[in-house]
Amino acid sequence: MLDAIKVNLEKITLERANQGLSAHELSLKAGLSKNVVSNVERGYVKPRLHTIGKIVNALGKRLEDFIEK
């Protein structure tokens, strides 16, 4: 069940920072608006798995790297 998947959004933010990317740069790589990336990172919205997938792919990572165990 997809609703049971918990993605660690803080790890996504940390990975973005470690790669030296701004939220705007990540949004361009992911094909999303800067507001979407910022709102996801801040936890203001509950993103769809597809949106999270775009973000982690843009970071060159796998979704599994950000799923809480």
Side-chain angles (χ1 to χ4, degrees), residues 23-46:
H24 178 71
E25 291 167 327
L26 178 56
S27 71
L28 293 174
K29 289 180 76 169
L32 300 166
S33 75
K34 179 186 173 290
N35 287 339
V36 168
V37 172
S38 293
N39 288 338
V40 167
E41 286 187 350
R42 292 180 178 145
Y44 292 166
V45 296
K46 183 178 178 183

Side-chain angles (χ1 to χ4, degrees), residues 1-53:
M1 182 174 189
L2 292 180
D3 289 83
I5 294 174
K6 297 279 187 186
V7 176
N8 188 327
L9 301 177
E10 187 174 306
K11 283 179 80 174
I12 290 175
T13 303
L14 288 173
E15 181 61 32
R16 176 182 61 74
N18 286 339
Q19 291 188 23
L21 295 171
S22 68
H24 178 71
E25 291 167 327
L26 178 56
S27 71
L28 293 174
K29 289 180 76 169
L32 300 166
S33 75
K34 179 186 173 290
N35 287 339
V36 168
V37 172
S38 293
N39 288 338
V40 167
E41 286 187 350
R42 292 180 178 145
Y44 292 166
V45 296
K46 183 178 178 183
R48 296 185 325 190
L49 199 54
H50 179 74
T51 302
I52 294 293

